[in-house]
Amino acid sequence: QEQLVESGGGLVQPGGSLRLACAVSRAVIRFATMAWYRQAPGKQREGVATITNGGTTTYTNSVKGRFTISRDNAKNTVYLQMNSLKPEDTAVYYCNAKIDIPFGARDYWGQGTQVAVSS
């Protein structure tokens, strides 16, 4: 069973910053498009940011200009730098790895890390 392990969550005041990290097994990160998702209480899980193996990134509109996703394949780690945090960013953040396979894709998920933005 491949593992993704998130870290870096916590409580931060509005306007503050956090950096999340996701440790990924080498067997997965070599081939995967990596992503961060989040799920706020009472809401559906939503995609936040993605990064391909080639370094192409995408962001959901609400975090553009504030969040930055990056990956270091040599360290088997994906990061999410979150700046100018807002209370509406409060959620459990999940790391995701997606690997294309014939006629589909395989997804791997971490256990999640809590981010709370509050004064």
Side-chain angles (χ1 to χ4, degrees), residues 34-45:
M34 300 300 303
W36 287 95
Y37 286 73
R38 66 185 179 187
Q39 187 166 19
K43 294 187 177 181
Q44 289 188 333
R45 190 174 296 189

Side-chain angles (χ1 to χ4, degrees), residues 45-61:
R45 190 174 296 189
E46 66 168 345
V48 175
T50 69
I51 184 167
T52 68
N53 235 335
T56 299
T57 58
T58 60
Y59 298 91
T60 192
N61 284 340

Side-chain angles (χ1 to χ4, degrees), residues 22-33:
C22 175
V24 189
S25 68
R26 175 162 176 75
V28 170
I29 198 170
R30 292 171 63 194
F31 303 106
T33 290

Side-chain angles (χ1 to χ4, degrees), residues 49-119:
T50 69
I51 184 167
T52 68
N53 235 335
T56 299
T57 58
T58 60
Y59 298 91
T60 192
N61 284 340
S62 62
V63 308
K64 284 181 180 177
R66 300 189 298 122
F67 290 11
T68 303
I69 188 171
S70 61
R71 64 193 290 163
D72 186 339
N73 282 12
K75 294 183 178 179
N76 301 333
T77 304
V78 178
Y79 303 97
L80 185 67
Q81 178 67 43
M82 305 185 295
N83 299 328
S84 302
L85 282 161
K86 304 175 181 180
E88 51 264 43
D89 295 317
T90 295
V92 178
Y93 283 71
Y94 297 91
C95 182
N96 168 265
K98 186 181 297 289
I99 297 177
D100 289 333
I101 59 175
F103 308 108
R106 182 168 294 167
D107 278 290
Y108 302 91
W109 292 92
Q111 81 288 351
T113 185
Q114 177 72 54
V115 171
V117 184
S118 175
S119 55

